Amino acid sequence: VFQWMAKAECHFVNGTEKVRYLERQFYNRMEHVRFDSDLGRYEGFTPHGECNARQANSDPDWMENRRTAVDWYCRHNYRVFAPFSVERR
């Protein structure tokens, strides 16, 4: 049985002042590729993940979409996320 999973995360510091977006992709319980908005590019952790990261990083339209995800995904949805993630401690 093969399993693929993707996970998008928003990390908020001081409300929406400092926001970090992570997109993580797993295959068979191993993280194989990750996009980090602080780095601004994909990183591969397995040979297949490195190949996928190179391909994604070479597509300027795709990378522009990922780099702006902090605004259109995280900051846009802050009011939805905040009660469940930020304000719960």
Side-chain angles (χ1 to χ4, degrees):
V1 175
F2 298 101
Q3 182 179 15
W4 179 85
M5 181 179 83
K7 184 176 183 180
E9 304 172 7
C10 295
H11 298 261
F12 299 100
V13 179
N14 295 333
T16 58
E17 284 182 38
K18 173 70 175 138
V19 181
R20 181 179 181 199
Y21 172 75
L22 290 174
E23 178 189 307
R24 303 167 67 196
Q25 296 181 21
F26 300 86
Y27 183 72
N28 283 351
R29 298 185 201 168
M30 288 182 54
E31 184 174 12
H32 76 101
V33 70
R34 174 192 307 164
F35 177 81
D36 186 341
S37 65
D38 287 350
L39 296 175
R41 62 182 171 82
Y42 280 91
E43 292 180 295
F45 299 106
T46 64
H48 185 254
E50 290 173 1
C51 179
N52 288 347
R54 273 193 305 277
Q55 183 178 1
N57 289 334
S58 67
D59 184 346
D61 293 333
W62 180 257
M63 291 306 294
E64 181 65 24
N65 181 276
R66 294 296 100 185
R67 288 183 182 122
T68 59
V70 168
D71 293 322
W72 63 261
Y73 182 70
C74 295
R75 286 191 176 108
H76 177 75
N77 291 308
Y78 179 75
R79 288 185 296 183
V80 175
F81 293 146
F84 300 104
S85 60
V86 179
E87 296 169 7
R88 268 182 111 170
R89 296 205 178 189

